[in-house]
């Protein structure tokens, strides 16, 4: 299990989808139970990764690597090659948690074609995990596109009244971005052959040759990748597909769309756009546009959220604003900004995923999301109102909850890069408090004026169970975020070093706001005896940097007993 932990996590949901094929579609209870068992099995098999990764978090390079470059389709240089660092580790854990929560939340909501629904949801789970694990660009693109079809079907079959319009819009937008990204991948593929004489899609190999592409070709390539990732985020002005997709998607679809799928875009910017084009991204004009679009998205998303009459659309537009903070942190190009951005991506998945669950529960009871239909709900659903208040406070960035830590660190990074950027972004925090508190006041405070709301049931134990892990994570990150920053220290420090080496002005970017990074040891580090029995030697990849020659045979660290 040590040597293949990533493959086990990756294919557990897919195994569940295959098993569901043999369950009769008339037996809905068996289908629900089987889907939930495999969803929680996917979470269970990922839990051992936490202590194992913690033991090797400070070592350079990717950990728990499986496969090798060019071993899958050697004629074109594609390989089944998996590996993770601190960034992908946190996103993988977020995916397994939200996947289990989303499938559990679908128990009563999905009554039609439930077998197909759960099959596609589990396939979607595999696609998302594959994106975060892939160290081969061909494999990455396969998983990237594999997510598209299940999400299209979840919206188009189990969505609302305008589901087909929303599904087609989502599909076309994402496909357009994918085509541009594919052209960029092919260019890098042939450029690497020109430079090294080897055809390969290995990402670590492309890290060696891609930064040398500058000038007009570099700018065009950067924007080819940027547009593909910006659509997925989505950044302003590529966001127009998001409100329709969120509003029409089933509740679990909205949770997984906001919680994980949108992070594919920010993950792509960090994993590919910055290390592939470290010179281009630091051009003042390019960086200025990236920051400008991020700040516009923050303010625009907040203002539009204030105007919404539909609760779900309000939460959808809030995602545009919150993810604007994430991209602001990325293009601050310093340690605090990058660390805060990654942590805020996790926070957004927790908080906004919970907000969509909250809206979905009320919609299941009343079949309307119009804010004007409610009022005084706290008197008939006190537990529901309490959980809603906690998650609203989390989303608006109240201290001692997760949102505060991420936003504060991002604003710190933006201020260090240029104080004016932070000043323009700060109103987004105020707008978040405004639209969330105003929504809470209209829905929960006062007396029940609508007779249809007088006898609403409070949360069931199953519904309450979906919120427990999200509230626990929100409190943990808000009160004690140190372990998360420690996990991010090594990959963020490495990325900042890559940007510093390519900085055309010779000005170093600030390091991450955590303990000073440990230099790569001259000799193999020896783990304590207690830890060495837990972590196998193969769990740790060879200490490869973004510029190291990974065509050479890798030698795993030996871990002394």
């Amino acid at each position: 299990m040590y040597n293949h932990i990533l493959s086990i996590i990756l294919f557990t949901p897919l195994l569940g989808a295959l098993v569901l094929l043999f369950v009769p579609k008339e037996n809905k209870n068996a289908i629900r139970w089987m889907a939930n068992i495999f969803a929680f099995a996917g979470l269970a098999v990922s839990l051992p990764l936490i202590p194992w990764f913690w033991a090797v978090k400070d070592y350079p390079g990717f950990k728990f690597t499986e496969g090798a470059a060019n071993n899958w389709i050697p004629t074109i240089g594609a390989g089944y090659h998996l590996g993770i660092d601190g960034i992908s580790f946190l996103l993988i854990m977020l995916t397994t948690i939200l996947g289990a929560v989303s499938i559990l939340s679908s128990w009563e909501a999905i009554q039609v074609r439930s077998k197909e629904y759960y099959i596609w949801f589990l396939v979607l789970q595999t696609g998302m995990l594959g994106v975060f694990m892939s160290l081969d660009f061909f494999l990455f693109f396969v998983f990237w596109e594999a997510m598209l079809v299940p999400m299209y079907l979840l919206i188009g079959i189990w969505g609302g009244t305008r589901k087909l319009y929303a599904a087609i819009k989502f599909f076309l937008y994402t496909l357009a971005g994918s085509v541009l990204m594919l052209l960029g991948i092919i260019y890098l593929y042939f450029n690497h052959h020109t430079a090294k004489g080897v055809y390969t899609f290995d990402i670590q190999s492309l890290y060696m040759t891609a930064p040398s592409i500058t000038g007009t070709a570099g700018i065009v390539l950067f924007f080819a990748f940027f547009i593909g990732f910006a659509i997925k985020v989505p950044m302003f002005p590529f966001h127009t597909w998001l409100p329709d997709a969120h509003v029409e998607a089933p509740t679990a679809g909205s949770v997984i769309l906001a919680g994980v799928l949108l992070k594919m875009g920010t993950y792509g910017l960090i994993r590919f756009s910055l290390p592939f084009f470290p010179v281009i991204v630091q051009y003042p004009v390019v960086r200025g546009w990236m920051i400008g679009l991020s700040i516009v998205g923050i303010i625009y998303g907040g203002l539009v959220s204030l105007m919404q009459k539909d609760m779900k659309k309000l939460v959808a537009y809030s995602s545009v604003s919150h993810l604007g903070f994430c991209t602001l942190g990325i293009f601050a190009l310093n340690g605090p900004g990058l660390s805060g951005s990654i942590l805020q991506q996790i926070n957004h998945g927790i908080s906004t995923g919970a907000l969509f669950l909250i809206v979905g529960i009320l919609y299941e009871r009343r079949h309307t999301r119009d804010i004007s239909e409610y009022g005084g709900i706290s008197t008939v659903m006190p537990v529901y109102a309490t959980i809603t208040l906690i998650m609203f406070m989390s989303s608006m960035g109240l201290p001692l909850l997760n949102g505060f830590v991420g936003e504060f660190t991002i604003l710190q990074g933006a201020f260090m890069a240029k104080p004016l950027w932070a000043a323009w972004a700060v109103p987004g925090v105020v707008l978040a408090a405004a639209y969330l508190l105003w929504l809470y006041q209209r829905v929960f405070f006062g007396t029940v004026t609508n007779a249809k709301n007088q006898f609403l049931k409070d949360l069931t134990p199953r519904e309450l169970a979906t919120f427990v892990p999200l509230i626990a994570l929100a409190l943990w990150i808000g009160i004690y975020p140190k372990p998360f920053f420690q996990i991010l220290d090594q990959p963020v420090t490495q990325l900042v070093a890559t940007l510093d080496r390519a900085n055309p002005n010779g000005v170093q970017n600030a390091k991450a706001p955590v303990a000073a990074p440990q230099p790569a040891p001259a000799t193999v580090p020896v783990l304590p005896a207690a830890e060495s029995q837990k972590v196998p030697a193969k769990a740790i990849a060879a200490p490869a940097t973004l510029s190291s020659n990974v065509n050479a045979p890798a030698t795993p660290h030996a871990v002394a007993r």
Side-chain angles (χ1 to χ4, degrees):
M1 185 174 179
Y2 289 127
N3 298 334
H4 303 288
I5 181 64
L6 295 186
S7 291
I8 293 170
I9 296 171
L10 175 61
F11 292 114
T12 296
L14 187 61
L15 176 62
L18 294 174
V19 171
L20 280 177
L21 289 173
F22 300 97
V23 180
K25 64 180 180 180
E26 295 81 10
N27 194 342
K28 292 186 178 180
N29 279 332
I31 291 170
R32 294 190 187 104
W33 276 106
M34 194 64 66
N36 277 275
I37 287 171
F38 275 97
F40 280 92
L43 173 59
V45 297
S46 69
L47 293 179
L49 194 60
I50 298 174
W52 297 348
F53 187 89
W54 182 261
V56 297
K57 68 183 188 308
D58 296 324
Y59 297 164
F62 293 94
K63 289 82 175 174
F64 300 98
T65 54
E66 295 182 36
N70 310 340
N71 69 344
W72 177 26
I73 313 176
T75 53
I76 64 172
Y80 177 76
H81 195 192
L82 306 180
I84 59 172
D85 62 1
I87 301 169
S88 44
F89 165 73
L90 291 180
L91 290 168
I92 286 168
M93 297 309 302
L94 177 70
T95 304
T96 58
I97 292 169
L98 286 183
V101 167
S102 299
I103 288 180
L104 181 60
S105 71
S106 305
W107 192 285
E108 296 291 341
I110 303 300
Q111 299 292 336
V112 178
R113 303 180 67 177
S114 56
K115 177 177 177 177
E116 293 94 327
Y117 171 85
Y118 287 115
I119 288 174
W120 284 119
F121 212 104
L122 291 168
V123 171
L124 176 63
Q125 183 85 343
T126 295
M128 295 184 297
L129 291 168
V131 165
F132 296 135
M133 296 179 184
S134 298
L135 294 182
D136 182 273
F137 237 147
F138 188 89
L139 186 66
F140 170 87
F141 193 77
V142 168
F143 284 122
W144 180 277
E145 292 299 288
M147 297 184 304
L148 188 58
V149 173
M151 196 67 224
Y152 168 78
L153 294 173
L154 289 174
I155 298 172
I157 297 175
W158 294 277
T161 54
R162 301 174 68 243
K163 56 189 178 184
L164 290 179
Y165 168 78
I168 293 172
K169 191 174 184 180
F170 161 78
F171 191 93
L172 292 178
Y173 265 73
T174 308
L175 187 63
S178 297
V179 169
L180 290 175
M181 183 172 66
L182 178 60
L183 293 175
I185 293 170
I186 293 173
Y187 187 99
L188 294 180
Y189 174 78
F190 283 103
N191 176 75
H192 183 81
H193 176 262
T194 301
K196 300 292 183 180
V198 177
Y199 287 113
T200 184
F201 286 101
D202 184 66
I203 290 170
Q204 296 179 93
S205 298
L206 297 179
Y207 279 149
M208 298 159 46
T209 54
S212 62
I213 306 172
T214 56
T216 303
I219 293 174
V220 171
L221 269 179
F222 171 81
F223 278 100
F225 281 96
F226 167 75
I227 292 173
F229 297 137
I231 289 173
K232 186 73 82 174
V233 171
M235 285 182 70
F236 178 91
F238 307 103
H239 68 283
T240 56
W241 64 268
L242 181 66
D244 292 309
H246 269 316
V247 170
E248 301 304 325
T251 297
S254 294
V255 171
I256 211 70
L257 177 61
V260 182
L261 260 74
L262 303 188
K263 310 308 179 295
M264 305 297 177
T266 49
Y267 176 78
L269 292 172
I270 295 171
R271 179 67 77 214
F272 304 118
S273 294
L274 266 58
F276 280 167
F277 311 104
V279 175
I280 304 299
V281 78
Q282 295 182 85
Y283 286 169
V285 174
V286 173
R287 191 182 183 189
W289 270 101
M290 301 300 102
I291 295 293
L293 293 177
S294 300
I295 293 173
V296 169
I298 291 170
I299 306 301
Y300 168 83
L303 290 173
V304 175
S305 294
L306 276 171
M307 306 302 295
Q308 296 308 311
K309 299 178 181 180
D310 183 307
M311 283 187 283
K312 201 172 186 183
K313 188 169 284 190
L314 184 151
V315 178
Y317 275 107
S318 75
S319 288
V320 177
S321 181
H322 288 306
L323 287 163
F325 277 102
C326 294
T327 54
L328 174 66
I330 291 171
F331 292 105
L333 302 182
N334 54 38
L338 287 164
S339 296
S341 173
I342 299 160
L343 186 60
Q344 190 63 4
Q345 292 170 40
I346 306 301
N347 295 336
H348 178 266
I350 295 167
S351 304
T352 306
L355 295 187
F356 279 115
L357 285 175
I358 287 165
V359 174
I361 286 170
L362 210 53
Y363 181 77
E364 286 181 26
R365 286 157 170 72
R366 281 292 323 278
H367 299 289
T368 179
R369 294 186 296 265
D370 290 337
I371 299 172
S372 60
E373 286 286 320
Y374 299 99
I377 296 298
S378 61
T379 60
V380 294
M381 303 177 68
V383 176
Y384 174 77
T386 302
I387 288 177
T388 301
L389 182 61
I390 294 172
M391 299 318 301
F392 274 24
M393 295 297 182
S394 166
S395 185
M396 72 178 68
L398 188 76
L400 297 183
L401 288 169
N402 57 337
F404 172 78
V405 178
E407 287 181 353
F408 181 87
T409 313
I410 289 170
L411 291 173
Q412 178 191 5
F415 188 90
M416 291 168 64
K418 187 171 289 188
L420 191 61
W421 295 348
W424 277 106
V426 162
V429 179
V430 181
L431 288 171
Y435 61 71
L436 287 171
L437 291 177
W438 192 30
L439 172 63
Y440 196 85
Q441 183 268 326
R442 287 179 287 172
V443 173
F444 292 93
F445 287 166
T447 58
V448 179
T449 56
N450 190 332
K452 296 178 181 178
N453 299 330
Q454 290 180 349
F455 303 102
L456 293 177
K457 295 187 301 180
D458 210 341
L459 295 182
T460 65
R462 176 187 59 81
E463 291 169 336
L464 185 60
T466 61
F467 290 106
V468 169
L470 303 182
I471 293 175
L473 285 170
L475 291 170
W476 180 13
I477 296 174
I479 296 172
Y480 189 62
K482 181 180 177 180
F484 295 87
F485 284 118
Q486 288 177 316
I487 288 169
L488 294 173
D489 181 28
Q490 191 276 325
V492 168
T493 300
Q494 182 174 324
L495 183 54
V496 171
T498 300
L499 294 169
D500 285 341
R501 287 195 296 270
N503 194 321
N505 300 319
V507 180
Q508 289 193 343
N509 297 291
K511 301 299 186 289
V514 290
Q518 299 178 0
T523 59
V524 177
V526 179
L527 292 177
E531 295 296 338
S532 66
Q533 295 176 5
K534 299 177 183 177
V535 186
K538 289 187 177 180
I540 310 165
T545 63
L546 296 183
S547 60
S548 62
N549 186 351
V550 298
N551 287 328
T555 304
H557 284 296
V559 180
R561 292 191 175 275

